[in-house]
Amino acid sequence: MKIAVIQHQLRGHERTDLAALLSVSEQASDEGASVIVCPRLPGLGPDTRIYQAFIENMRKHAPGSLVVMPAVAGGRGEELQPFLTPLGRTVALTGDECIEPSMLDDVATLGVEAMVWQPCAASALQAEAFLEFALDASLSLSGLVIVTALTGSARGVARFGRSAVVELGDILAEAGEGEAVVSAQIEAPVSLPDRPRPHPVLPPILAQRLAHHLGEPPPAVGYPADLS
């Protein structure tokens, strides 16, 4: 099965954003992608007219491909609910949901095969740390972690990319800077190893991000040696 993951460069208006996503998705479908993962745009909700028009156009221009957009696909409300895709049982997480311990505990109890993340990294260092965390998560929480991202600045939003396909501790495909589509061939569903690792430990930069967003003191960072 071929997976295509979009890293989208933000435009000045959401309509031009959606037109660009539609064009790229159509090309990915033409090239044989069974699943296309694209990032959700700021302010775009499933109940908006423009989103409904986008989905209708996607059905026409990318037939035979399932398009997954985080924060829209799950439609879970307050409770995390997996949904079925060709990847297996799948959950979609955005922002801090990708690193919140309570959310990841819920993922572990669900026994899903795939996670789709849109981390919304606020810096290049955060984007790198999210990818590092995805590697560990693919060995303990779900065998497949797909990271989709926005990149660039527009309409008061700044995002840093690093879209990727991660399977069982390996990066199968990874985007660099700017707009890109990365793809990978997998055998789905992807199961965890017989002895999955313990839950991943947050890199310090992501632990600091989470504490800041929760209004808590930043975690103490240990030093590798006593320099006194």
Side-chain angles (χ1 to χ4, degrees):
M1 174 190 307
K2 184 176 182 179
I3 304 170
V5 186
I6 297 172
Q7 180 164 291
H8 175 70
Q9 178 85 37
L10 283 165
R11 268 73 167 174
H13 193 280
E14 62 184 14
R15 290 187 181 276
T16 52
D17 278 317
L18 289 172
L21 284 176
L22 182 62
S23 176
V24 172
S25 298
E26 182 177 14
Q27 181 178 349
S29 181
D30 290 343
E31 294 174 353
S34 299
V35 177
I36 301 169
V37 181
C38 63
R40 179 193 175 189
L41 299 174
L44 183 68
D47 56 345
T48 59
R49 182 177 299 178
I50 189 171
Y51 173 74
Q52 295 300 327
F54 170 70
I55 292 301
E56 285 300 318
N57 284 326
M58 193 69 77
R59 291 193 184 105
K60 296 175 183 176
H61 293 274
S65 300
L66 174 67
V67 178
V68 179
M69 184 179 287
V72 172
R76 63 177 179 268
E78 295 182 358
E79 184 178 356
L80 182 64
Q81 293 287 348
F83 51 99
L84 289 177
T85 72
L87 308 173
R89 284 161 51 86
T90 305
V91 292
L93 305 175
T94 61
D96 288 347
E97 291 177 343
C98 304
I99 56 176
E100 287 179 359
S102 61
M103 185 66 71
L104 298 181
D105 286 342
D106 289 345
V107 172
T109 63
L110 292 171
V112 299
E113 284 83 29
M115 290 191 290
V116 175
W117 289 3
Q118 185 175 341
C120 305
S123 69
L125 288 176
Q126 282 191 13
E128 181 69 29
F130 271 113
L131 185 54
E132 175 187 338
F133 193 62
L135 286 167
D136 288 340
S138 71
L139 291 168
S140 58
L141 296 172
S142 71
L144 183 66
V145 181
I146 300 173
V147 182
T148 184
L150 300 168
T151 187
S153 301
R155 309 197 304 276
V157 175
R159 292 288 182 262
F160 293 79
R162 292 306 290 274
S163 293
V165 180
V166 179
E167 180 185 28
L168 296 175
D170 289 326
I171 299 175
L172 303 185
E174 178 185 358
E177 296 181 359
E179 192 157 87
V181 180
V182 296
S183 61
Q185 293 279 354
I186 67 161
E187 295 289 335
V190 178
S191 300
L192 283 172
D194 291 337
R195 293 184 178 181
R197 294 184 183 178
H199 286 194
V201 177
L202 279 181
I205 190 172
L206 297 185
Q208 292 169 358
R209 164 188 162 132
L210 188 58
H212 175 71
H213 289 174
L214 294 175
E216 299 175 352
V221 177
Y223 290 93
D226 185 356
L227 302 180
S228 60

